[in-house]
Amino acid sequence: PGRSAQAKSLRSGHYLSGPDIRGRKKDRLERRRGRFVAHSEVQPFQIEMSKTGKKSILIASGIYPPAIEGPTSYGRTLARKLSGDFDVTVLTYSPVWNFAEDTKEKFRVVRVWNKVPKLIRIWNYFFQAFRLARKADTIYALNAVSAGVPALIAAKISGRKFFVKIV
């Protein structure tokens, strides 16, 4: 009887949502589909932002399309979901100056050329983060080091709220 109840639960879809290993509620179905990967974290962030009444967000990312790694789809999905309710700007390192698909999005993408020496690249990223932070209400970094540290310093200097995603 236990086995049939388990199979019935799997067919009904109850396993698709609920707490994950750490006890946080996640939508497992959307996490499995690449284009919906950010949904479970967007809604709490939107609720928190709506309480403060702030409308402009800077997303600091270390990687973004046209790169093909996993975090690129997360950053794009997050920006797309948030751009419905907020003014979103994405700051990222990039091997290209311009990407044709950026003009099709509802949000702005600012790229920092990553084909320069590391210290110059980090300085350029910080300068852009500081420039964009003055116009944003909140800064959300998608990694803790390459994008997070320059964005954190820019947030502290400009007096903006700062969030970082740690996996």
Side-chain angles (χ1 to χ4, degrees), residues 84-154:
D85 299 326
F86 305 101
D87 294 327
V88 177
T89 303
V90 176
L91 175 63
T92 184
Y93 295 106
S94 179
V96 296
W97 287 105
N98 295 318
F99 188 53
E101 291 185 24
D102 290 348
T103 58
K104 299 174 187 173
E105 302 290 354
K106 297 179 192 173
F107 51 89
R108 181 177 172 211
V109 178
V110 177
R111 296 177 180 275
V112 173
W113 184 247
N114 70 354
K115 302 284 185 182
V116 295
K118 189 175 248 180
L119 288 176
I120 295 171
R121 177 177 43 207
I122 292 170
W123 173 255
N124 289 341
Y125 195 92
F126 164 74
F127 179 74
Q128 290 293 336
F130 179 70
R131 186 179 64 83
L132 295 168
R134 293 185 298 163
K135 299 173 188 171
D137 298 311
T138 302
I139 301 172
Y140 184 59
L142 296 183
N143 72 23
V145 181
S146 67
V149 171
L152 172 65
I153 296 168

Side-chain angles (χ1 to χ4, degrees), residues 8-35:
K8 191 178 202 181
S9 175
L10 288 174
R11 282 192 300 265
S12 67
H14 292 296
Y15 72 97
L16 296 176
S17 63
D20 66 356
I21 294 171
R22 295 183 188 113
R24 298 178 301 195
K25 185 165 176 60
K26 296 286 183 177
D27 191 333
R28 293 187 186 113
L29 175 66
E30 293 193 10
R31 206 172 340 130
R32 288 182 184 142
R33 295 180 184 166
R35 60 194 162 107

